[in-house]
Amino acid sequence: MTAPADPGAGPAGVGIGWRPEIAGFVAGLPGLRFVEVVAEAVAPHGPPPAGLAELVERGVTVVPHGVRLSLGGAEPVDAARVAHLARVADLVRAPLVSEHIAFVRAGGLEAGHLLPLPRSREAVAAVVANVRRARAELPVPLALEPIAALFDWPDDELDEADFLTEILDATDATLLLDVANVHANARNRGADPLDLLDRLPLERVSYVHVAGGAEQGGFYHDTHTDPVPPEVFDLIRELCARHRPPALLLERDGHWPPASTLRAELDAIAAVSGYPVVT
Amino acid sequence: MSGDPAVPAPGDLAARQAALVAALVAGGPLPPGFAPAPVDAARRALLRKRAGDVARHWPLLAAGLGPAWPATFAGWAAGRPTNGSLRDGWDLARELRGRGELPPLGAEELATREAASRYDGTRAPRRRRLPALARAGGAVAVQLAGRVRLLRPARR
């Protein structure tokens, strides 16, 4: 294993989710100090994908972002998946890794994407146990991301703020707050997104996700393939007014727009948050 | 907590998660208490996400179907749990070939894959070690010493 002799600095300023399709665009951002890479897309024994290795050499902070650990699964987290995440963290000299408060498989079936947990004490205990199992094997701290959910379980005991706070209080994890998910959940539940911002421990936010979505069939879908809507920029402004996070990262996963459009979204995030432009 | 029959017994989170995933990806019944419309929206969102993942593994198959790709994939995948994007696309391509609906680009991609690897439909595909010839929709691909070439394009 490559020893992370000098883990990079923590996430700072405005970043973007590194994807192979936009590697050239990302490499050409002069002020960039922070990217994320989907952990499962990186071969554990290296080398890192072409383009990502150069960013590591440039001193850009790379945060591996897991999507398949299933930390919210009732079963113990898969040790091989944790080991993979740990190796990727070493490979890119990450100061931090992130994953979701969600489950992605159960009963031998893969759901294919992140599914919400019941907001129950039993689910809090399952997540906390899996976070502790993962942390014991990870070389760096873990940030947890609350997901966008299209449905809720019928027997929630806790509201979202209490559910997240209980998990954070029982672990040493930090918060990866996705403002697009905050918007999506509030929109789909008919709730006020500012209530959640007012009640979360914002001083524990390591960084923030910003992404686009679209209305479809009466629901707001967090697609990552559409423009960032004005409501999400408003939430960045509201968040920064309460407690400015150290970093904000644009996630885009497909339907690639022209480079000028991506640049404009990065510039808008910088303008709203008051961080330097990276383009 | 344990005396109320309406509250599920603690410790059954695993079974309840399994029932929910089965409802979302395997055509299982909606577990009690869930609102049908939001769960159905999630089921369809999972199919769209999966269609995107499979398209990344089978870009020519997806491109060959063009605007029909999302609906074609969703129609095949609904109620059918994933075996991973590589096998999902492979199974769909073979089914489309059987129905005579495999587009030329998809036929060329399928022939190329089948020349390179052996796939029995139930286990992960394995690289062929011996030379092989594969056909689909008029396309012919050959593999020699691990190198695959398309000898003849599909009928157009």
Side-chain angles (χ1 to χ4, degrees):
Chain A
M1 211 188 309
T2 329
D6 177 26
V14 175
I16 186 166
W18 186 91
R19 307 285 184 264
E21 294 92 338
I22 53 168
F25 171 80
V26 176
L29 294 171
L32 189 69
R33 293 164 63 197
F34 162 46
V35 298
E36 216 179 41
V37 64
V38 175
E40 285 82 356
V42 178
H45 299 292
L52 192 65
E54 287 98 272
L55 292 179
V56 173
E57 291 312 311
R58 252 169 67 182
V60 173
T61 297
V62 180
V63 174
H65 183 55
V67 295
R68 292 279 180 270
L69 270 193
S70 208
L71 287 172
E75 307 85 11
V77 64
D78 181 351
R81 291 180 187 275
V82 177
H84 178 270
L85 182 57
R87 280 195 296 271
V88 174
D90 284 342
L91 196 63
V92 300
R93 296 179 222 154
L96 179 79
V97 296
S98 55
E99 245 290 355
H100 300 86
I101 299 175
F103 75 109
V104 302
R105 68 183 67 80
L109 291 179
E110 293 285 331
H113 197 52
L114 308 159
L115 295 178
L117 299 173
R119 291 193 297 271
S120 65
R121 297 240 146 66
E122 185 187 7
V124 169
V127 174
V128 168
N130 274 333
V131 168
R132 288 180 181 158
R133 286 181 189 107
R135 269 303 276 129
E137 306 301 324
L138 290 170
V140 291
L142 174 65
L144 295 176
E145 176 180 2
I147 65 166
L150 284 167
F151 63 88
D152 287 314
W153 287 64
D155 50 344
D156 289 336
E157 301 169 279
L158 305 165
D159 67 15
E160 181 140 10
D162 288 337
F163 177 67
L164 299 175
T165 304
E166 287 205 9
I167 291 169
L168 292 174
D169 284 351
T171 65
D172 65 353
T174 57
L175 187 57
L176 161 48
L177 185 64
D178 186 320
V179 286
N181 292 351
V182 171
H183 168 63
N185 291 338
R187 153 72 181 79
N188 291 334
R189 289 176 187 143
D192 183 351
L194 300 183
D195 285 347
L196 185 62
L197 292 190
D198 284 336
R199 292 180 50 212
L200 286 177
L202 299 181
E203 71 287 351
R204 289 185 72 167
V205 173
S206 284
Y207 64 104
V208 164
H209 272 171
V210 181
E215 297 277 340
Q216 192 173 350
F219 294 89
Y220 180 86
H221 291 262
D222 177 51
T223 61
H224 297 193
T225 57
D226 292 281
V228 179
E231 295 88 343
V232 170
F233 284 110
D234 289 341
L235 280 180
I236 298 175
R237 188 177 295 109
E238 293 284 352
L239 174 68
C240 291
R242 286 161 176 76
H243 186 99
R244 189 167 76 151
L248 302 97
L249 180 132
L250 176 65
E251 291 184 291
R252 181 87 186 202
D253 291 339
H255 288 204
W256 304 104
S260 57
T261 306
L262 275 184
R263 259 189 224 106
E265 285 196 333
L266 289 169
D267 289 349
I269 294 170
V272 172
S273 63
Y275 281 114
V277 297
V278 298
T279 57
Chain B
M1 195 166 169
S2 55
D4 183 350
V7 177
D12 69 354
L13 182 61
R16 299 181 69 213
Q17 287 183 336
L20 180 63
V21 175
L24 286 166
V25 305
L30 183 70
F34 282 89
V39 173
D40 193 56
R43 184 186 65 78
R44 282 181 283 112
L46 288 175
L47 284 172
R48 281 196 296 275
K49 194 91 186 166
R50 201 172 142 196
D53 291 344
V54 173
R56 271 189 281 281
H57 282 77
W58 290 82
L60 298 180
L61 174 64
L65 287 161
W69 166 252
T72 303
F73 180 82
W76 173 84
R80 197 189 300 245
T82 183
N83 287 311
S85 294
L86 177 64
R87 283 181 55 192
D88 282 358
W90 210 311
D91 291 341
L92 172 57
R94 284 179 173 176
E95 179 163 316
L96 292 175
R97 176 173 61 181
R99 287 194 233 146
E101 295 170 10
L102 187 61
L105 281 174
E108 289 162 7
E109 193 163 40
L110 179 62
T112 304
R113 293 283 166 86
E114 301 217 324
S117 298
R118 181 188 306 278
Y119 174 43
D120 65 7
T122 57
R123 286 170 299 173
R126 302 214 325 241
R127 289 255 161 235
R128 294 182 191 274
R129 284 179 296 175
L130 298 176
L133 197 71
R135 301 165 196 275
V140 181
V142 66
Q143 177 266 131
L144 273 172
R147 297 185 54 169
V148 183
R149 277 182 53 206
L150 191 66
L151 288 187
R152 190 197 306 155
R155 285 184 296 271
R156 279 172 167 85

